[in-house]
Structure formats: C-alpha cells, structure tokens
Amino acid sequence: MQIKKLPNSQIEIDISVPAKDLETYLDHAAEEISKDIKADGFRPGKAPRKIVEQKVGTEKVLAHAAEKAVKKTYADFVVKEKIETIGEPKITITKIAPGNDLEYKAVVSVMPEITLGNHRKEIKKIKKEEDKEITAEQVEGELKNLAGNRAKLITVNRPIKKGDRAEIDFEVKIGGKTIEGGTSKNHPLTVGEDYFIPGFEDNLIGMKEGDEKEFKLDFPKDYHKKDLAGKEADFKVKVNLVQEKEVPEINDEFAKSLGNFENLEKLKASVKEGMESEQKKKNKEEWRTKAIEEIVDNSQIEVPEILIKGELEKMTAEFEQNIAQMGLNFDSYLEQIKKTKKELLDNWRETAEKRVKAALALREIAKAEQIEIDSKEIEEEMNKVLAYYKSFPEMEKSVDMAKLYDYTKGMLTNEKVFQLLESIK
C-alpha cells in the first residue's frame, strides 16, 4: 500500500490485495450471487463457487468479489493510517484476473494541511468594542417601537396621510403594456415606509377611499430588475381602504399589558437590560468575526473543492428555508431576480470559501490548544435539541444521530476555542 499526495488536498492510494486473500472475497461473492440463481440440488445461497461461476460466469463473480475487497481494504487502510478523508473515493481497478493479486487506486480528498500563524499574538491586534451604556433616549425609542407594533387599525373616511395603512388596486404599464407583476388588488401598504419606488407613495397622500389616480414615474437607474431600470412607467391607482394607526399611550397600563410588569419603570428596566444584552452579543459576534478573519489571513489554508461545494449546498438549504418562511420557493425566487442557480452559487462562492477557511482554522486551533469536548457534555447538548424536536414529530423521525453528534461536538468545540481566544490578554 502506497500513498501519493496530489494537488488540491487529494491523495492517491495504491492498494494490492494478494490472490490468497482474494479467495475469501470470491467465496463470499459466490455465496451472495447464488441466492439469486437456481442450481439443481442446492438451496438458494448454498451452491458451490464452481457451480455459481458456471451459471453466471467467472467475470461476474470476480467483479463482485473485487467490489467487496475494495470496500473492506480501503476502509481498513484509512482507519489504520488515521487518514481524515472527505467524501467518497474514486476507485480505479488497475489489475484484475483469476488467480492474480487485485490492484487498484483510490483518489480521495483529505482534510488539508494547515499552517497556522501565531494566533495568540495575532488575536491581540483585535480591539474589543466597549459596551456603551444604553441611553434613556434609546429606551424611549424602543418603547415607541413596541407601542407601534401594538397599534390598533381604525378605518377612516378622510384623505391619506403619512403613516396611514391603505389597501389599493394598482396597474403599472411601460409603452402601453402591463409589466410582469405590475398588477395587484387590495394591496396593503403603510404610506411612508417607501416600499414602492420613489414618488409612488407621495402620490397616494391626499387620496381617500374610492379615489382613482393616474401618474408617471421613472424607475430608479439602479433598480434590481434591469429591464425596468431607468424607464418611465404609467401608474394607475385606486384606493379601497384607509386606516389610521391608534398607538397606545406609553404608561403603566401599557406596561401591564405586555406581561408581568408592575409599572412603566419596570418595563423600561427590562427593555434596557434586553438592549444591553443584545449590544453585548453584537459586539462579541463582531469581535469573533474580526478575530477569525485575522487568523485566517495569517495562515496557509488550501481549501478542497469538495468542502466548498458542501458549504454551498448548506448555504442553499439555509436560503431555501428562509424564503420558504416568506411564502416563496427557490425556483420562483430565481425567476424574480432573473438569475440561474449557478449564477447565484457563483456569487456565494467567495463567502463559502471564507466560511470553510474559518471552520478549518478553528479546528486547527482546537488541535493546537488540545481542546477536547467531553462526550457527556455533547450528549447533554444533544438532548436539548432532541427535546425541542419532540414538538415536531416529523422532524424528530428524520434526525440523523451521527450527524447531530458531529454538529454538536463541532459547535461546542468552536465555542471553547473562541472563549480561549477571548481570554488572551
């Protein structure tokens, strides 16, 4: 058995299975094949090898034996040599003949060799952002947002003003033709949020229920749909409903309505505490991002293509899940943005490579610092996830325990690595 290093974090393994060892695989192969054939005088699976070879041909038995031998000897070699492979190997049989040694090559991606910089020294360059005190004005702003989210909608018979909610019918034409997605009935919007192109919502101000209006506007030159960018369009609008928002007064009663708060002061204290916690979390995440970027920039990391592809698949799955929550599917989204899946993945490739490098660097630091996670700690964290899944029977059934174990171990290891980096003075 010989190992040869190839570019892009791949290796080629030359393996030879002696003819005498291959005999055992030939016997097993014949036994399996005999289960599917009829041989006079023998029960299924009990026909001797010679009889099986006469029935199906020596080549078929040899090919089946070779397949079994390759799987076993390759797996044994990888475990024995402690080779960290990624994905399935590409097998090429170079010699196969009755009575001869079986020889084959296995080309497989492996975890890349990483040369870390001095991560303990580099981490000191990253300045920790100080947690600034949350001001009374910031708390008041958050309270206004809370009150706004709990506003009641009251239908009114008056002209629209900024801040009102309206339901409208609209049609958009360019050159006398209605554009794709250019019509809607009873479309809801809050006037002033600038959801539509500049100038559209300004034209609604002053209109009331039942009013109709036609006007012209230019699509922005940097509009995301290139076929509309910079073009003049004709708009036709009808107002079907006007509602004003009745925002609750921010007082003790408002505080009590939000939960277990005795008065407004208790609510303010809780809001401030939440904002401070959020700020600390944000500062920590920003520091960690900068820290790992600094470490990666000062390390030599060759990223195997298979890991980039895997990360892109994970990013795609995450994205599909996010847009599904918005009521869209992936194909419809691609149609809207006028991109193919390949174009989208090409745009994500740089990000995917950065994410892989960060993961590899964290893994290497864990090895260098001898950071290990106790199996009991992993199991405790897994049990939290499994307890959550119990509320979703379909998800619980599809849980891959091996993958969950590896994911949990990796997550806990990364957290301990960051805790160590944060402790370096």
Side-chain angles (χ1 to χ4, degrees):
M1 298 184 181
Q2 294 180 333
I3 300 176
K4 177 183 175 184
K5 286 188 179 182
L6 302 177
N8 301 318
S9 295
Q10 287 190 316
I11 60 170
E12 180 183 88
I13 309 171
D14 287 321
I15 298 179
S16 176
V17 183
K20 61 182 177 59
D21 293 344
L22 191 59
E23 285 295 314
T24 302
Y25 293 104
L26 285 163
D27 290 338
H28 289 161
E31 184 180 340
E32 287 185 3
I33 293 171
S34 71
K35 293 175 183 177
D36 299 321
I37 64 172
K38 289 183 179 180
D40 294 338
F42 298 98
R43 286 179 294 144
K46 299 299 181 180
R49 193 169 106 198
K50 280 190 176 182
I51 300 294
V52 175
E53 287 176 343
Q54 288 172 6
K55 285 279 185 182
V56 301
T58 304
E59 292 79 8
K60 184 172 181 177
V61 177
L62 185 58
H64 193 52
E67 183 182 346
K68 295 173 73 65
V70 167
K71 283 183 180 178
K72 182 71 167 63
T73 55
Y74 170 78
D76 288 348
F77 181 74
V78 166
V79 171
K80 180 186 174 185
E81 298 298 321
K82 297 180 181 179
I83 301 171
E84 295 182 282
T85 61
I86 308 169
E88 295 297 318
K90 181 182 178 182
I91 303 295
T92 304
I93 293 178
T94 55
K95 182 181 176 183
I96 180 170
N100 284 266
D101 294 351
L102 169 68
E103 295 178 2
Y104 68 91
K105 293 181 185 291
V107 176
V108 66
S109 294
V110 293
M111 293 301 290
E113 293 182 3
I114 298 171
T115 305
L116 281 176
N118 188 337
H119 58 277
R120 285 181 167 268
K121 180 181 178 182
E122 288 150 7
I123 212 68
K124 295 177 183 178
K125 301 175 187 176
I126 310 301
K127 182 183 176 183
K128 288 185 173 71
E129 194 70 35
E130 291 184 12
D131 297 326
K132 297 176 183 177
E133 184 181 353
I134 300 297
T135 65
E137 289 77 13
Q138 287 175 301
V139 174
E140 288 296 332
E142 188 60 26
L143 288 173
K144 286 180 180 178
N145 289 336
L146 286 171
N149 290 336
R150 284 157 181 77
K152 292 180 181 178
L153 293 171
I154 301 171
T155 301
V156 292
N157 185 20
R158 60 158 175 77
I160 294 172
K161 60 183 181 181
K162 199 170 184 180
D164 286 342
R165 179 187 179 278
E167 290 183 10
I168 62 172
D169 297 342
F170 68 82
E171 184 175 16
V172 188
K173 293 182 177 181
I174 292 180
K177 292 183 179 180
T178 304
I179 66 172
E180 183 183 354
T183 60
S184 185
K185 297 287 185 182
N186 294 318
H187 191 93
L189 78 159
T190 298
V191 179
E193 288 187 345
D194 295 329
Y195 177 79
F196 284 76
I197 67 171
F200 180 87
E201 292 172 27
D202 292 338
N203 274 280
L204 300 182
I205 294 175
M207 296 178 69
K208 60 181 184 295
E209 184 180 327
D211 285 356
E212 296 185 29
K213 186 176 183 180
E214 295 184 18
F215 52 90
K216 294 180 183 291
L217 288 174
D218 290 338
F219 277 90
K221 291 181 180 178
D222 58 352
Y223 194 64
H224 65 278
K225 289 189 176 182
K226 302 301 180 187
D227 57 325
L228 302 179
K231 291 184 178 178
E232 183 184 66
D234 296 303
F235 290 80
K236 185 178 181 180
V237 177
K238 181 185 176 184
V239 177
N240 297 325
L241 181 70
V242 181
Q243 294 177 314
E244 68 178 18
K245 293 182 178 181
E246 187 180 81
V247 181
E249 187 179 347
I250 301 173
N251 52 25
D252 290 343
E253 290 304 312
F254 174 70
K256 290 174 184 177
S257 74
L258 293 178
N260 191 27
F261 299 106
E262 295 176 20
N263 51 44
L264 182 57
E265 289 307 310
K266 295 284 186 182
L267 174 60
K268 284 182 178 180
S270 176
V271 168
K272 183 177 181 180
E273 183 181 344
M275 293 177 75
E276 286 173 342
S277 175
E278 192 61 33
Q279 181 183 241
K280 285 180 181 178
K281 182 181 176 183
K282 181 184 175 185
N283 287 345
K284 177 186 279 190
E285 287 175 353
E286 288 179 352
W287 184 87
R288 288 183 172 189
T289 299
K290 291 176 184 175
I292 197 63
E293 283 176 353
E294 181 70 23
I295 290 169
V296 167
D297 288 344
N298 287 278
S299 301
Q300 294 177 18
I301 305 173
E302 182 183 46
V303 183
E305 181 63 24
I306 191 172
L307 289 183
I308 296 175
K309 286 182 178 178
E311 190 63 32
L312 285 170
E313 287 173 6
K314 187 161 65 172
M315 290 170 71
T316 302
E318 291 169 356
F319 189 74
E320 286 183 1
Q321 188 176 4
N322 289 339
I323 63 172
Q325 291 172 354
M326 297 163 54
L328 297 171
N329 65 53
F330 193 50
D331 292 335
S332 298
Y333 175 80
L334 290 174
E335 284 180 18
Q336 285 186 17
I337 63 171
K338 306 290 185 187
K339 281 184 181 288
T340 64
K341 183 177 180 179
K342 183 182 181 305
E343 288 172 335
L344 195 66
L345 295 182
D346 287 343
N347 290 342
W348 290 352
R349 186 178 177 83
E350 185 178 347
T351 301
E353 187 171 350
K354 284 181 179 180
R355 284 169 61 161
V356 171
K357 283 185 175 182
L360 291 172
L362 288 169
R363 184 174 177 276
E364 196 66 19
I365 293 170
K367 286 166 63 177
E369 298 287 352
Q370 297 182 331
I371 293 174
E372 294 183 0
I373 308 297
D374 185 79
S375 59
K376 186 179 178 182
E377 191 176 350
I378 297 171
E379 288 168 8
E380 287 175 357
E381 194 64 32
M382 285 176 67
N383 287 335
K384 293 178 186 176
V385 176
L386 294 172
Y388 170 77
Y389 280 164
K390 286 189 182 298
S391 303
F392 307 93
E394 290 305 314
M395 291 175 67
E396 187 179 15
K397 288 178 188 175
S398 63
V399 173
D400 185 321
M401 295 300 289
K403 285 185 179 179
L404 179 59
Y405 185 91
D406 290 341
Y407 170 79
T408 306
K409 182 180 179 182
M411 180 187 68
L412 292 173
T413 302
N414 288 348
E415 180 59 31
K416 288 202 173 184
V417 169
F418 276 122
Q419 287 175 3
L420 177 136
L421 294 175
E422 287 163 353
S423 70
I424 295 172
K425 304 296 184 182

